[in-house]
Amino acid sequence: MHRKTKKTMIVPLLYLVLAGAYLLVMPVILVFYLKLRWYSAGSIERLLMYFFVFFLFPGLLVLSPILNFRPKRRTIAA
């Protein structure tokens, strides 16, 4: 393989890695973090959670048929 061919292959590979991280890896991490901290987050942390949901929305749409967590059952104290 020529030297120029190796350099031109790096750019599409870099785009593929970044797209995979944006569409798959980071949304999976975010979903599990949201599941862990949703009921105990403070106001600033919740604001950051909403920002990351907005920022990673395309990846969350890709993963939504696969990852489907139900909310906790509420208990009513009498």
Side-chain angles (χ1 to χ4, degrees):
M1 207 181 286
H2 296 292
R3 184 173 209 128
K4 188 173 183 177
T5 307
K6 286 184 181 179
K7 285 185 179 180
T8 58
M9 290 299 292
I10 291 174
V11 174
L13 185 63
L14 182 63
Y15 272 103
L16 189 65
V17 167
L18 289 175
Y22 179 70
L23 290 174
L24 297 174
V25 177
M26 291 172 57
V28 167
I29 293 170
L30 179 66
V31 165
F32 283 106
Y33 181 77
L34 290 175
K35 184 176 178 350
L36 181 70
R37 295 286 299 161
W38 186 258
Y39 294 102
S40 60
S43 58
I44 301 296
E45 185 180 5
R46 192 166 301 273
L47 181 71
L48 286 171
M49 291 162 115
Y50 292 150
F51 167 75
F52 279 111
V53 166
F54 178 74
F55 183 70
L56 298 172
F57 188 72
L60 291 173
L61 279 178
V62 169
L63 294 174
S64 63
I66 301 165
L67 299 175
N68 188 4
F69 295 114
R70 303 281 182 216
K72 290 181 184 176
R73 183 179 279 286
R74 293 178 64 184
T75 57
I76 300 173

